mmCIF file with all atom_site columns, all heavy atoms in Angstrom:
data_model
loop_
_atom_site.group_PDB
_atom_site.id
_atom_site.type_symbol
_atom_site.label_atom_id
_atom_site.label_alt_id
_atom_site.label_comp_id
_atom_site.label_asym_id
_atom_site.label_entity_id
_atom_site.label_seq_id
_atom_site.pdbx_PDB_ins_code
_atom_site.Cartn_x
_atom_site.Cartn_y
_atom_site.Cartn_z
_atom_site.occupancy
_atom_site.B_iso_or_equiv
_atom_site.pdbx_formal_charge
_atom_site.auth_seq_id
_atom_site.auth_comp_id
_atom_site.auth_asym_id
_atom_site.auth_atom_id
_atom_site.pdbx_PDB_model_num
ATOM 1   N N   . LEU J 1 84  ? -72.265 -15.587 -59.892 1.00 0.00 ? 99  LEU J N   1
ATOM 2   C CA  . LEU J 1 84  ? -70.909 -15.390 -60.412 1.00 0.00 ? 99  LEU J CA  1
ATOM 3   C C   . LEU J 1 84  ? -69.888 -16.236 -59.656 1.00 0.00 ? 99  LEU J C   1
ATOM 4   O O   . LEU J 1 84  ? -68.980 -16.822 -60.268 1.00 0.00 ? 99  LEU J O   1
ATOM 5   C CB  . LEU J 1 84  ? -70.528 -13.909 -60.346 1.00 0.00 ? 99  LEU J CB  1
ATOM 6   C CG  . LEU J 1 84  ? -71.298 -12.999 -61.304 1.00 0.00 ? 99  LEU J CG  1
ATOM 7   C CD1 . LEU J 1 84  ? -71.002 -11.533 -61.003 1.00 0.00 ? 99  LEU J CD1 1
ATOM 8   C CD2 . LEU J 1 84  ? -70.983 -13.338 -62.762 1.00 0.00 ? 99  LEU J CD2 1
ATOM 9   N N   . ILE J 1 102 ? -68.663 -12.377 -69.283 1.00 0.00 ? 117 ILE J N   1
ATOM 10  C CA  . ILE J 1 102 ? -70.038 -12.385 -68.800 1.00 0.00 ? 117 ILE J CA  1
ATOM 11  C C   . ILE J 1 102 ? -70.586 -10.965 -68.863 1.00 0.00 ? 117 ILE J C   1
ATOM 12  O O   . ILE J 1 102 ? -69.984 -10.038 -68.320 1.00 0.00 ? 117 ILE J O   1
ATOM 13  C CB  . ILE J 1 102 ? -70.127 -12.938 -67.366 1.00 0.00 ? 117 ILE J CB  1
ATOM 14  C CG1 . ILE J 1 102 ? -69.660 -14.395 -67.347 1.00 0.00 ? 117 ILE J CG1 1
ATOM 15  C CG2 . ILE J 1 102 ? -71.551 -12.797 -66.816 1.00 0.00 ? 117 ILE J CG2 1
ATOM 16  C CD1 . ILE J 1 102 ? -69.765 -15.078 -66.021 1.00 0.00 ? 117 ILE J CD1 1
ATOM 17  N N   . GLY J 1 103 ? -71.709 -10.824 -69.522 1.00 0.00 ? 118 GLY J N   1
ATOM 18  C CA  . GLY J 1 103 ? -72.403 -9.542  -69.562 1.00 0.00 ? 118 GLY J CA  1
ATOM 19  C C   . GLY J 1 103 ? -73.506 -9.549  -68.520 1.00 0.00 ? 118 GLY J C   1
ATOM 20  O O   . GLY J 1 103 ? -74.189 -10.553 -68.331 1.00 0.00 ? 118 GLY J O   1
ATOM 21  N N   . ILE J 1 104 ? -73.651 -8.423  -67.838 1.00 0.00 ? 119 ILE J N   1
ATOM 22  C CA  . ILE J 1 104 ? -74.717 -8.282  -66.851 1.00 0.00 ? 119 ILE J CA  1
ATOM 23  C C   . ILE J 1 104 ? -75.544 -7.079  -67.267 1.00 0.00 ? 119 ILE J C   1
ATOM 24  O O   . ILE J 1 104 ? -75.038 -5.957  -67.353 1.00 0.00 ? 119 ILE J O   1
ATOM 25  C CB  . ILE J 1 104 ? -74.151 -8.129  -65.428 1.00 0.00 ? 119 ILE J CB  1
ATOM 26  C CG1 . ILE J 1 104 ? -73.275 -9.351  -65.115 1.00 0.00 ? 119 ILE J CG1 1
ATOM 27  C CG2 . ILE J 1 104 ? -75.289 -7.995  -64.420 1.00 0.00 ? 119 ILE J CG2 1
ATOM 28  C CD1 . ILE J 1 104 ? -72.451 -9.229  -63.871 1.00 0.00 ? 119 ILE J CD1 1
ATOM 29  N N   . ILE J 1 105 ? -76.811 -7.343  -67.560 1.00 0.00 ? 120 ILE J N   1
ATOM 30  C CA  . ILE J 1 105 ? -77.711 -6.348  -68.143 1.00 0.00 ? 120 ILE J CA  1
ATOM 31  C C   . ILE J 1 105 ? -78.820 -6.023  -67.156 1.00 0.00 ? 120 ILE J C   1
ATOM 32  O O   . ILE J 1 105 ? -79.386 -6.921  -66.542 1.00 0.00 ? 120 ILE J O   1
ATOM 33  C CB  . ILE J 1 105 ? -78.347 -6.897  -69.437 1.00 0.00 ? 120 ILE J CB  1
ATOM 34  C CG1 . ILE J 1 105 ? -77.291 -7.238  -70.471 1.00 0.00 ? 120 ILE J CG1 1
ATOM 35  C CG2 . ILE J 1 105 ? -79.361 -5.919  -70.001 1.00 0.00 ? 120 ILE J CG2 1
ATOM 36  C CD1 . ILE J 1 105 ? -77.858 -7.898  -71.716 1.00 0.00 ? 120 ILE J CD1 1
ATOM 37  N N   . SER J 1 106 ? -79.143 -4.744  -67.051 1.00 0.00 ? 121 SER J N   1
ATOM 38  C CA  . SER J 1 106 ? -80.294 -4.335  -66.251 1.00 0.00 ? 121 SER J CA  1
ATOM 39  C C   . SER J 1 106 ? -81.116 -3.306  -67.016 1.00 0.00 ? 121 SER J C   1
ATOM 40  O O   . SER J 1 106 ? -80.617 -2.628  -67.904 1.00 0.00 ? 121 SER J O   1
ATOM 41  C CB  . SER J 1 106 ? -79.849 -3.749  -64.909 1.00 0.00 ? 121 SER J CB  1
ATOM 42  O OG  . SER J 1 106 ? -80.997 -3.390  -64.157 1.00 0.00 ? 121 SER J OG  1
ATOM 43  N N   . GLN J 1 111 ? -79.697 0.281   -60.843 1.00 0.00 ? 126 GLN J N   1
ATOM 44  C CA  . GLN J 1 111 ? -79.235 -1.103  -60.672 1.00 0.00 ? 126 GLN J CA  1
ATOM 45  C C   . GLN J 1 111 ? -77.867 -1.285  -61.319 1.00 0.00 ? 126 GLN J C   1
ATOM 46  O O   . GLN J 1 111 ? -77.002 -1.952  -60.758 1.00 0.00 ? 126 GLN J O   1
ATOM 47  C CB  . GLN J 1 111 ? -80.252 -2.090  -61.258 1.00 0.00 ? 126 GLN J CB  1
ATOM 48  C CG  . GLN J 1 111 ? -79.931 -3.535  -60.990 1.00 0.00 ? 126 GLN J CG  1
ATOM 49  C CD  . GLN J 1 111 ? -80.215 -3.985  -59.567 1.00 0.00 ? 126 GLN J CD  1
ATOM 50  O OE1 . GLN J 1 111 ? -80.469 -3.184  -58.677 1.00 0.00 ? 126 GLN J OE1 1
ATOM 51  N NE2 . GLN J 1 111 ? -80.175 -5.289  -59.341 1.00 0.00 ? 126 GLN J NE2 1
ATOM 52  N N   . VAL J 1 112 ? -77.661 -0.675  -62.477 1.00 0.00 ? 127 VAL J N   1
ATOM 53  C CA  . VAL J 1 112 ? -76.351 -0.760  -63.129 1.00 0.00 ? 127 VAL J CA  1
ATOM 54  C C   . VAL J 1 112 ? -75.280 -0.185  -62.206 1.00 0.00 ? 127 VAL J C   1
ATOM 55  O O   . VAL J 1 112 ? -74.222 -0.796  -62.014 1.00 0.00 ? 127 VAL J O   1
ATOM 56  C CB  . VAL J 1 112 ? -76.356 -0.029  -64.495 1.00 0.00 ? 127 VAL J CB  1
ATOM 57  C CG1 . VAL J 1 112 ? -74.936 0.118   -65.046 1.00 0.00 ? 127 VAL J CG1 1
ATOM 58  C CG2 . VAL J 1 112 ? -77.238 -0.761  -65.498 1.00 0.00 ? 127 VAL J CG2 1
ATOM 59  N N   . ARG J 1 113 ? -75.547 0.963   -61.603 1.00 0.00 ? 128 ARG J N   1
ATOM 60  C CA  . ARG J 1 113 ? -74.577 1.570   -60.682 1.00 0.00 ? 128 ARG J CA  1
ATOM 61  C C   . ARG J 1 113 ? -74.313 0.678   -59.464 1.00 0.00 ? 128 ARG J C   1
ATOM 62  O O   . ARG J 1 113 ? -73.165 0.509   -59.042 1.00 0.00 ? 128 ARG J O   1
ATOM 63  C CB  . ARG J 1 113 ? -75.058 2.957   -60.244 1.00 0.00 ? 128 ARG J CB  1
ATOM 64  C CG  . ARG J 1 113 ? -74.821 4.029   -61.297 1.00 0.00 ? 128 ARG J CG  1
ATOM 65  C CD  . ARG J 1 113 ? -75.065 5.424   -60.753 1.00 0.00 ? 128 ARG J CD  1
ATOM 66  N NE  . ARG J 1 113 ? -76.470 5.750   -60.624 1.00 0.00 ? 128 ARG J NE  1
ATOM 67  C CZ  . ARG J 1 113 ? -77.253 6.131   -61.616 1.00 0.00 ? 128 ARG J CZ  1
ATOM 68  N NH1 . ARG J 1 113 ? -76.763 6.234   -62.837 1.00 0.00 ? 128 ARG J NH1 1
ATOM 69  N NH2 . ARG J 1 113 ? -78.515 6.427   -61.410 1.00 0.00 ? 128 ARG J NH2 1
ATOM 70  N N   . LEU J 1 114 ? -75.358 0.087   -58.910 1.00 0.00 ? 129 LEU J N   1
ATOM 71  C CA  . LEU J 1 114 ? -75.198 -0.800  -57.762 1.00 0.00 ? 129 LEU J CA  1
ATOM 72  C C   . LEU J 1 114 ? -74.404 -2.052  -58.144 1.00 0.00 ? 129 LEU J C   1
ATOM 73  O O   . LEU J 1 114 ? -73.518 -2.492  -57.404 1.00 0.00 ? 129 LEU J O   1
ATOM 74  C CB  . LEU J 1 114 ? -76.570 -1.171  -57.186 1.00 0.00 ? 129 LEU J CB  1
ATOM 75  C CG  . LEU J 1 114 ? -76.600 -2.004  -55.908 1.00 0.00 ? 129 LEU J CG  1
ATOM 76  C CD1 . LEU J 1 114 ? -75.865 -1.302  -54.768 1.00 0.00 ? 129 LEU J CD1 1
ATOM 77  C CD2 . LEU J 1 114 ? -78.052 -2.287  -55.506 1.00 0.00 ? 129 LEU J CD2 1
ATOM 78  N N   . LEU J 1 115 ? -74.698 -2.608  -59.296 1.00 0.00 ? 130 LEU J N   1
ATOM 79  C CA  . LEU J 1 115 ? -73.952 -3.772  -59.786 1.00 0.00 ? 130 LEU J CA  1
ATOM 80  C C   . LEU J 1 115 ? -72.477 -3.427  -59.976 1.00 0.00 ? 130 LEU J C   1
ATOM 81  O O   . LEU J 1 115 ? -71.593 -4.184  -59.565 1.00 0.00 ? 130 LEU J O   1
ATOM 82  C CB  . LEU J 1 115 ? -74.548 -4.277  -61.100 1.00 0.00 ? 130 LEU J CB  1
ATOM 83  C CG  . LEU J 1 115 ? -75.880 -5.013  -61.000 1.00 0.00 ? 130 LEU J CG  1
ATOM 84  C CD1 . LEU J 1 115 ? -76.585 -5.047  -62.347 1.00 0.00 ? 130 LEU J CD1 1
ATOM 85  C CD2 . LEU J 1 115 ? -75.681 -6.414  -60.447 1.00 0.00 ? 130 LEU J CD2 1
ATOM 86  N N   . GLU J 1 116 ? -72.192 -2.283  -60.591 1.00 0.00 ? 131 GLU J N   1
ATOM 87  C CA  . GLU J 1 116 ? -70.800 -1.875  -60.795 1.00 0.00 ? 131 GLU J CA  1
ATOM 88  C C   . GLU J 1 116 ? -70.083 -1.698  -59.457 1.00 0.00 ? 131 GLU J C   1
ATOM 89  O O   . GLU J 1 116 ? -68.950 -2.155  -59.290 1.00 0.00 ? 131 GLU J O   1
ATOM 90  C CB  . GLU J 1 116 ? -70.742 -0.573  -61.597 1.00 0.00 ? 131 GLU J CB  1
ATOM 91  C CG  . GLU J 1 116 ? -71.125 -0.743  -63.046 1.00 0.00 ? 131 GLU J CG  1
ATOM 92  C CD  . GLU J 1 116 ? -71.250 0.555   -63.807 1.00 0.00 ? 131 GLU J CD  1
ATOM 93  O OE1 . GLU J 1 116 ? -71.447 1.630   -63.185 1.00 0.00 ? 131 GLU J OE1 1
ATOM 94  O OE2 . GLU J 1 116 ? -71.174 0.495   -65.056 1.00 0.00 ? 131 GLU J OE2 1
ATOM 95  N N   . LYS J 1 117 ? -70.757 -1.046  -58.520 1.00 0.00 ? 132 LYS J N   1
ATOM 96  C CA  . LYS J 1 117 ? -70.156 -0.802  -57.213 1.00 0.00 ? 132 LYS J CA  1
ATOM 97  C C   . LYS J 1 117 ? -69.786 -2.112  -56.521 1.00 0.00 ? 132 LYS J C   1
ATOM 98  O O   . LYS J 1 117 ? -68.685 -2.258  -55.979 1.00 0.00 ? 132 LYS J O   1
ATOM 99  C CB  . LYS J 1 117 ? -71.131 -0.012  -56.344 1.00 0.00 ? 132 LYS J CB  1
ATOM 100 C CG  . LYS J 1 117 ? -70.641 0.248   -54.936 1.00 0.00 ? 132 LYS J CG  1
ATOM 101 C CD  . LYS J 1 117 ? -71.686 1.006   -54.125 1.00 0.00 ? 132 LYS J CD  1
ATOM 102 C CE  . LYS J 1 117 ? -71.243 1.102   -52.696 1.00 0.00 ? 132 LYS J CE  1
ATOM 103 N NZ  . LYS J 1 117 ? -72.208 0.561   -51.766 1.00 0.00 ? 132 LYS J NZ  1
ATOM 104 N N   . GLU J 1 118 ? -70.680 -3.079  -56.547 1.00 0.00 ? 133 GLU J N   1
ATOM 105 C CA  . GLU J 1 118 ? -70.459 -4.321  -55.804 1.00 0.00 ? 133 GLU J CA  1
ATOM 106 C C   . GLU J 1 118 ? -69.647 -5.370  -56.562 1.00 0.00 ? 133 GLU J C   1
ATOM 107 O O   . GLU J 1 118 ? -68.847 -6.078  -55.970 1.00 0.00 ? 133 GLU J O   1
ATOM 108 C CB  . GLU J 1 118 ? -71.792 -4.896  -55.358 1.00 0.00 ? 133 GLU J CB  1
ATOM 109 C CG  . GLU J 1 118 ? -72.497 -3.944  -54.416 1.00 0.00 ? 133 GLU J CG  1
ATOM 110 C CD  . GLU J 1 118 ? -73.271 -4.628  -53.325 1.00 0.00 ? 133 GLU J CD  1
ATOM 111 O OE1 . GLU J 1 118 ? -73.123 -5.848  -53.142 1.00 0.00 ? 133 GLU J OE1 1
ATOM 112 O OE2 . GLU J 1 118 ? -74.025 -3.907  -52.655 1.00 0.00 ? 133 GLU J OE2 1
ATOM 113 N N   . LEU J 1 119 ? -69.853 -5.469  -57.872 1.00 0.00 ? 134 LEU J N   1
ATOM 114 C CA  . LEU J 1 119 ? -69.173 -6.524  -58.629 1.00 0.00 ? 134 LEU J CA  1
ATOM 115 C C   . LEU J 1 119 ? -67.767 -6.127  -59.054 1.00 0.00 ? 134 LEU J C   1
ATOM 116 O O   . LEU J 1 119 ? -66.917 -6.994  -59.270 1.00 0.00 ? 134 LEU J O   1
ATOM 117 C CB  . LEU J 1 119 ? -69.996 -6.912  -59.861 1.00 0.00 ? 134 LEU J CB  1
ATOM 118 C CG  . LEU J 1 119 ? -71.416 -7.391  -59.597 1.00 0.00 ? 134 LEU J CG  1
ATOM 119 C CD1 . LEU J 1 119 ? -72.096 -7.759  -60.907 1.00 0.00 ? 134 LEU J CD1 1
ATOM 120 C CD2 . LEU J 1 119 ? -71.453 -8.537  -58.615 1.00 0.00 ? 134 LEU J CD2 1
ATOM 121 N N   . LEU J 1 120 ? -67.529 -4.841  -59.202 1.00 0.00 ? 135 LEU J N   1
ATOM 122 C CA  . LEU J 1 120 ? -66.206 -4.381  -59.606 1.00 0.00 ? 135 LEU J CA  1
ATOM 123 C C   . LEU J 1 120 ? -65.334 -4.015  -58.411 1.00 0.00 ? 135 LEU J C   1
ATOM 124 O O   . LEU J 1 120 ? -64.188 -3.602  -58.580 1.00 0.00 ? 135 LEU J O   1
ATOM 125 C CB  . LEU J 1 120 ? -66.328 -3.197  -60.580 1.00 0.00 ? 135 LEU J CB  1
ATOM 126 C CG  . LEU J 1 120 ? -67.119 -3.496  -61.867 1.00 0.00 ? 135 LEU J CG  1
ATOM 127 C CD1 . LEU J 1 120 ? -67.209 -2.265  -62.740 1.00 0.00 ? 135 LEU J CD1 1
ATOM 128 C CD2 . LEU J 1 120 ? -66.548 -4.680  -62.625 1.00 0.00 ? 135 LEU J CD2 1
ATOM 129 N N   . SER J 1 132 ? -64.558 -12.139 -66.792 1.00 0.00 ? 147 SER J N   1
ATOM 130 C CA  . SER J 1 132 ? -64.425 -10.781 -67.308 1.00 0.00 ? 147 SER J CA  1
ATOM 131 C C   . SER J 1 132 ? -65.841 -10.214 -67.427 1.00 0.00 ? 147 SER J C   1
ATOM 132 O O   . SER J 1 132 ? -66.645 -10.724 -68.214 1.00 0.00 ? 147 SER J O   1
ATOM 133 C CB  . SER J 1 132 ? -63.736 -10.799 -68.669 1.00 0.00 ? 147 SER J CB  1
ATOM 134 O OG  . SER J 1 132 ? -63.778 -9.523  -69.259 1.00 0.00 ? 147 SER J OG  1
ATOM 135 N N   . LEU J 1 133 ? -66.144 -9.189  -66.624 1.00 0.00 ? 148 LEU J N   1
ATOM 136 C CA  . LEU J 1 133 ? -67.511 -8.667  -66.566 1.00 0.00 ? 148 LEU J CA  1
ATOM 137 C C   . LEU J 1 133 ? -67.688 -7.422  -67.416 1.00 0.00 ? 148 LEU J C   1
ATOM 138 O O   . LEU J 1 133 ? -66.815 -6.555  -67.453 1.00 0.00 ? 148 LEU J O   1
ATOM 139 C CB  . LEU J 1 133 ? -67.886 -8.326  -65.119 1.00 0.00 ? 148 LEU J CB  1
ATOM 140 C CG  . LEU J 1 133 ? -67.773 -9.433  -64.080 1.00 0.00 ? 148 LEU J CG  1
ATOM 141 C CD1 . LEU J 1 133 ? -68.228 -8.913  -62.717 1.00 0.00 ? 148 LEU J CD1 1
ATOM 142 C CD2 . LEU J 1 133 ? -68.563 -10.656 -64.488 1.00 0.00 ? 148 LEU J CD2 1
ATOM 143 N N   . ARG J 1 134 ? -68.828 -7.342  -68.054 1.00 0.00 ? 149 ARG J N   1
ATOM 144 C CA  . ARG J 1 134 ? -69.277 -6.129  -68.736 1.00 0.00 ? 149 ARG J CA  1
ATOM 145 C C   . ARG J 1 134 ? -70.667 -5.835  -68.204 1.00 0.00 ? 149 ARG J C   1
ATOM 146 O O   . ARG J 1 134 ? -71.576 -6.668  -68.359 1.00 0.00 ? 149 ARG J O   1
ATOM 147 C CB  . ARG J 1 134 ? -69.295 -6.317  -70.237 1.00 0.00 ? 149 ARG J CB  1
ATOM 148 C CG  . ARG J 1 134 ? -69.736 -5.068  -70.959 1.00 0.00 ? 149 ARG J CG  1
ATOM 149 C CD  . ARG J 1 134 ? -69.642 -5.216  -72.454 1.00 0.00 ? 149 ARG J CD  1
ATOM 150 N NE  . ARG J 1 134 ? -69.879 -3.916  -73.068 1.00 0.00 ? 149 ARG J NE  1
ATOM 151 C CZ  . ARG J 1 134 ? -69.353 -3.534  -74.185 1.00 0.00 ? 149 ARG J CZ  1
ATOM 152 N NH1 . ARG J 1 134 ? -68.557 -4.339  -74.843 1.00 0.00 ? 149 ARG J NH1 1
ATOM 153 N NH2 . ARG J 1 134 ? -69.630 -2.341  -74.685 1.00 0.00 ? 149 ARG J NH2 1
ATOM 154 N N   . ILE J 1 135 ? -70.846 -4.697  -67.583 1.00 0.00 ? 150 ILE J N   1
ATOM 155 C CA  . ILE J 1 135 ? -72.109 -4.344  -66.933 1.00 0.00 ? 150 ILE J CA  1
ATOM 156 C C   . ILE J 1 135 ? -72.696 -3.139  -67.646 1.00 0.00 ? 150 ILE J C   1
ATOM 157 O O   . ILE J 1 135 ? -71.989 -2.172  -67.921 1.00 0.00 ? 150 ILE J O   1
ATOM 158 C CB  . ILE J 1 135 ? -71.869 -4.022  -65.441 1.00 0.00 ? 150 ILE J CB  1
ATOM 159 C CG1 . ILE J 1 135 ? -71.200 -5.209  -64.732 1.00 0.00 ? 150 ILE J CG1 1
ATOM 160 C CG2 . ILE J 1 135 ? -73.193 -3.657  -64.750 1.00 0.00 ? 150 ILE J CG2 1
ATOM 161 C CD1 . ILE J 1 135 ? -70.659 -4.885  -63.352 1.00 0.00 ? 150 ILE J CD1 1
ATOM 162 N N   . GLY J 1 136 ? -73.996 -3.196  -67.944 1.00 0.00 ? 151 GLY J N   1
ATOM 163 C CA  . GLY J 1 136 ? -74.616 -2.058  -68.612 1.00 0.00 ? 151 GLY J CA  1
ATOM 164 C C   . GLY J 1 136 ? -76.118 -2.191  -68.696 1.00 0.00 ? 151 GLY J C   1
ATOM 165 O O   . GLY J 1 136 ? -76.707 -3.208  -68.335 1.00 0.00 ? 151 GLY J O   1
ATOM 166 N N   . SER J 1 137 ? -76.725 -1.154  -69.215 1.00 0.00 ? 152 SER J N   1
ATOM 167 C CA  . SER J 1 137 ? -78.177 -1.137  -69.399 1.00 0.00 ? 152 SER J CA  1
ATOM 168 C C   . SER J 1 137 ? -78.550 -1.933  -70.651 1.00 0.00 ? 152 SER J C   1
ATOM 169 O O   . SER J 1 137 ? -77.706 -2.194  -71.513 1.00 0.00 ? 152 SER J O   1
ATOM 170 C CB  . SER J 1 137 ? -78.674 0.299   -69.538 1.00 0.00 ? 152 SER J CB  1
ATOM 171 O OG  . SER J 1 137 ? -78.197 0.847   -70.757 1.00 0.00 ? 152 SER J OG  1
ATOM 172 N N   . ARG J 1 140 ? -77.671 -0.019  -73.704 1.00 0.00 ? 155 ARG J N   1
ATOM 173 C CA  . ARG J 1 140 ? -76.243 -0.001  -74.002 1.00 0.00 ? 155 ARG J CA  1
ATOM 174 C C   . ARG J 1 140 ? -75.778 -1.328  -74.605 1.00 0.00 ? 155 ARG J C   1
ATOM 175 O O   . ARG J 1 140 ? -74.798 -1.368  -75.336 1.00 0.00 ? 155 ARG J O   1
ATOM 176 C CB  . ARG J 1 140 ? -75.457 0.289   -72.738 1.00 0.00 ? 155 ARG J CB  1
ATOM 177 C CG  . ARG J 1 140 ? -73.979 0.430   -73.051 1.00 0.00 ? 155 ARG J CG  1
ATOM 178 C CD  . ARG J 1 140 ? -73.240 1.223   -72.061 1.00 0.00 ? 155 ARG J CD  1
ATOM 179 N NE  . ARG J 1 140 ? -73.476 2.641   -72.339 1.00 0.00 ? 155 ARG J NE  1
ATOM 180 C CZ  . ARG J 1 140 ? -73.150 3.602   -71.505 1.00 0.00 ? 155 ARG J CZ  1
ATOM 181 N NH1 . ARG J 1 140 ? -72.615 3.314   -70.358 1.00 0.00 ? 155 ARG J NH1 1
ATOM 182 N NH2 . ARG J 1 140 ? -73.367 4.855   -71.810 1.00 0.00 ? 155 ARG J NH2 1
ATOM 183 N N   . PHE J 1 141 ? -76.473 -2.425  -74.326 1.00 0.00 ? 156 PHE J N   1
ATOM 184 C CA  . PHE J 1 141 ? -76.089 -3.744  -74.835 1.00 0.00 ? 156 PHE J CA  1
ATOM 185 C C   . PHE J 1 141 ? -76.634 -4.024  -76.229 1.00 0.00 ? 156 PHE J C   1
ATOM 186 O O   . PHE J 1 141 ? -76.349 -5.072  -76.796 1.00 0.00 ? 156 PHE J O   1
ATOM 187 C CB  . PHE J 1 141 ? -76.528 -4.856  -73.874 1.00 0.00 ? 156 PHE J CB  1
ATOM 188 C CG  . PHE J 1 141 ? -75.433 -5.310  -72.951 1.00 0.00 ? 156 PHE J CG  1
ATOM 189 C CD1 . PHE J 1 141 ? -75.178 -4.630  -71.780 1.00 0.00 ? 156 PHE J CD1 1
ATOM 190 C CD2 . PHE J 1 141 ? -74.656 -6.412  -73.258 1.00 0.00 ? 156 PHE J CD2 1
ATOM 191 C CE1 . PHE J 1 141 ? -74.169 -5.039  -70.921 1.00 0.00 ? 156 PHE J CE1 1
ATOM 192 C CE2 . PHE J 1 141 ? -73.644 -6.839  -72.414 1.00 0.00 ? 156 PHE J CE2 1
ATOM 193 C CZ  . PHE J 1 141 ? -73.398 -6.142  -71.239 1.00 0.00 ? 156 PHE J CZ  1
ATOM 194 N N   . CYS J 1 146 ? -72.273 -11.643 -75.624 1.00 0.00 ? 161 CYS J N   1
ATOM 195 C CA  . CYS J 1 146 ? -71.287 -12.224 -74.708 1.00 0.00 ? 161 CYS J CA  1
ATOM 196 C C   . CYS J 1 146 ? -71.589 -13.713 -74.586 1.00 0.00 ? 161 CYS J C   1
ATOM 197 O O   . CYS J 1 146 ? -72.741 -14.126 -74.753 1.00 0.00 ? 161 CYS J O   1
ATOM 198 C CB  . CYS J 1 146 ? -71.399 -11.602 -73.313 1.00 0.00 ? 161 CYS J CB  1
ATOM 199 S SG  . CYS J 1 146 ? -70.655 -9.994  -73.136 1.00 0.00 ? 161 CYS J SG  1
#
Side-chain angles (χ1 to χ4, degrees):
L99 291 171
I117 297 183
I119 302 169
I120 300 175
S121 181
Q126 186 75 349
V127 169
R128 282 191 284 280
L129 185 59
L130 287 161
E131 289 172 338
K132 177 182 173 236
E133 298 216 11
L134 302 181
L135 301 179
S147 172
L148 304 182
R149 181 175 189 149
I150 303 168
S152 68
R155 185 156 280 168
F156 263 84
C161 282

